[in-house]
Amino acid sequence: MGKLALFSRNKKEGVGPSAESDKSNSRRGIVFRNKEAAPSASKTVEKKVASPPASNEQIIRDYVATINRHESTMEERLSFFASEKVLIKPDGEPPITALEFMKVLKSFQDSFPDGKIQGSSIQEIEPNVVLIDNNVVSGTHTGAPFQPLPSWEPLPPSGKHIEMDPERAFVTLEQEKIVKLEVISLGNYSGAAGVYVLAGGTLVME
């Protein structure tokens, strides 16, 4: 019984086996006073480095990819604009807001399930102005009747493949958001009217 009591007392006072281990570690330059705290000594502190802001060119690439993804939401598409009221100026047509443009685009994609918008290049041509060059809209009318505007007669699906004339889109950004988008046609068929006519529709000029 005396030996048990002595061993127990030595352990409390740091004279038992644990103390010998501490002395051994001390000779190797390693001293752990609290065994539970030992693992924390080897942990490294991870510093979070802020990601650099996206370039204007990358923002527009992401924008084009998002509007080409038919399942993307209206909120996702409009998130690239400073406001849903930002004006988009199609060549030869009255300006429309970003919200109105997205509704026309949704109508196009519902009617042309394989519809896409492709540009040959995306380049920042001057500070905060990005050019989408040789932008071409194409698709096959196999979906819903096409009626981009309420005043136009709906076109039933015809299975016809259309390809618009190339366009140039000049996109102005401020604080990583689109504040202006202007489209210049390089041919005869452009915008919603161009798609409508190529799909077989007739526009009545008032």
Side-chain angles (χ1 to χ4, degrees), residues 125-195:
I125 56 174
E126 59 183 80
N128 298 321
V129 178
V130 177
L131 168 64
I132 309 174
D133 205 11
N134 290 315
N135 195 43
V136 175
V137 177
S138 64
T140 309
H141 192 189
T142 58
F146 183 52
Q147 188 184 22
L149 296 176
S151 60
W152 296 3
E153 190 72 21
L155 295 179
S158 61
K160 186 176 182 179
H161 180 80
I162 64 106
E163 184 170 306
M164 303 272 285
D165 290 327
E167 301 171 332
R168 281 181 178 158
F170 295 86
V171 189
T172 304
L173 299 98
E174 289 180 5
Q175 297 181 342
E176 301 183 3
K177 296 291 183 181
I178 298 171
V179 295
K180 186 170 71 172
L181 199 161
E182 185 174 0
V183 179
I184 296 176
S185 176
L186 301 179
N188 297 319
Y189 296 99
S190 177
V195 175

Side-chain angles (χ1 to χ4, degrees), residues 25-166:
N25 285 334
S26 179
R27 285 194 294 270
R28 292 197 297 266
I30 304 173
V31 179
F32 297 145
R33 294 301 179 192
N34 186 340
K35 289 188 176 181
E36 291 182 356
S40 64
S42 62
K43 291 183 179 179
T44 57
V45 178
E46 295 182 1
K47 293 183 179 180
K48 292 184 178 180
V49 180
S51 300
S55 68
N56 288 331
E57 290 179 2
Q58 186 58 53
I59 291 170
I60 299 306
R61 288 190 187 96
D62 292 343
Y63 163 72
V64 172
T66 299
I67 62 175
N68 272 320
R69 186 163 48 86
H70 288 212
E71 66 273 16
S72 63
T73 65
M74 188 72 74
E75 290 74 18
E76 287 177 306
R77 298 175 180 203
L78 289 173
S79 68
F80 288 90
F81 293 83
S83 161
E84 65 180 30
K85 296 181 180 180
V86 167
L87 287 181
I88 295 175
K89 300 178 180 179
D91 198 3
E93 297 180 20
I96 60 175
T97 65
L99 178 60
E100 291 169 331
F101 172 71
M102 291 306 164
K103 289 179 178 178
V104 171
L105 179 62
K106 179 69 166 56
S107 173
F108 168 73
Q109 292 176 334
D110 287 345
S111 301
F112 297 79
D114 62 344
K116 59 185 176 181
I117 302 172
Q118 285 187 309
S120 62
S121 67
I122 295 176
Q123 182 179 6
E124 187 164 14
I125 56 174
E126 59 183 80
N128 298 321
V129 178
V130 177
L131 168 64
I132 309 174
D133 205 11
N134 290 315
N135 195 43
V136 175
V137 177
S138 64
T140 309
H141 192 189
T142 58
F146 183 52
Q147 188 184 22
L149 296 176
S151 60
W152 296 3
E153 190 72 21
L155 295 179
S158 61
K160 186 176 182 179
H161 180 80
I162 64 106
E163 184 170 306
M164 303 272 285
D165 290 327

